[in-house]
């Protein structure tokens, strides 16, 4: 019988090893390797999980696949940039962001960045 409890999302990458290094070492998430499956599971401290799987001929998502809620987007951007993560990924004509990649109009403060596969991630001030 179908039960919606415990649902979780997932997305594809082109290189599982690069994804593992980025999500574990750069972002500091707990990453579980599902032996023999070609899958990783990301375990955010807030709970839940996200499935990451390898896909031949991967094309990055053109939308945000994973949001990280933060109390202070400015501090989060500073931290990400200190880890070598580029947060200015959109041209101002697409999304009006400041020189650090923070969008300050039309909603909560948000800054986007990419994983090694080119998927779009975000820090979002809550």
């Amino acid at each position: 019988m179908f039960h919606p409890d415990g649902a979780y999302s997932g997305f594809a990458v082109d290189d599982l090893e690069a994804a593992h290094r980025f999500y574990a070492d750069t972002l500091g998430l707990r990453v579980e390797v599902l032996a023999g499956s070609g899958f990783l599971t990301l375990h955010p401290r807030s709970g839940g999980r996200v499935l990451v799987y390898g896909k031949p001929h991967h094309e990055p998502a053109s939308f945000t696949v994973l949001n990280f809620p933060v109390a202070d987007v400015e501090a989060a951007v500073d931290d990400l940039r200190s880890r070598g993560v580029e947060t200015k990924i959109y041209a101002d004509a697409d999304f009006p962001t400041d020189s650090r990649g923070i969008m300050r109009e039309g909603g909560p403060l948000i800054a986007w960045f990419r994983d090694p596969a080119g998927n779009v991630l975000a820090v979002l001030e809550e």
Side-chain angles (χ1 to χ4, degrees):
M1 181 184 254
F2 173 78
H3 293 282
D5 298 342
Y8 58 95
S9 66
F11 57 87
V13 297
D14 57 356
D15 183 335
L16 281 172
E17 289 180 23
H20 187 209
R21 285 190 305 275
F22 178 76
Y23 286 101
D25 300 339
T26 303
L27 298 186
L29 289 168
R30 185 168 70 84
V31 178
E32 178 184 4
V33 178
L34 301 176
S37 68
F39 296 122
L40 303 174
T41 302
L42 308 180
H43 295 275
R45 289 185 194 120
S46 61
R49 59 188 167 157
V50 179
L51 185 71
V52 177
Y53 56 94
K55 180 180 175 188
H57 313 295
H58 166 73
E59 298 213 11
S62 61
F63 50 87
T64 307
V65 299
L66 189 57
N67 290 289
F68 295 93
V70 297
D72 182 345
V73 78
E74 303 256 357
V77 165
D78 289 343
D79 188 25
L80 286 168
R81 292 177 72 145
S82 76
R83 299 172 191 219
V85 175
E86 175 58 47
T87 57
K88 176 73 172 168
I89 66 169
Y90 291 120
D92 290 336
D94 296 329
F95 292 100
T97 58
D98 66 17
S99 63
R100 298 169 62 220
I102 300 172
M103 187 173 77
R104 299 177 183 279
E105 299 175 15
L109 296 180
I110 186 168
W112 294 275
F113 57 103
R114 296 185 189 277
D115 72 3
N119 294 312
V120 179
L121 314 174
V123 286
L124 176 75
E125 189 168 291
E126 291 189 341

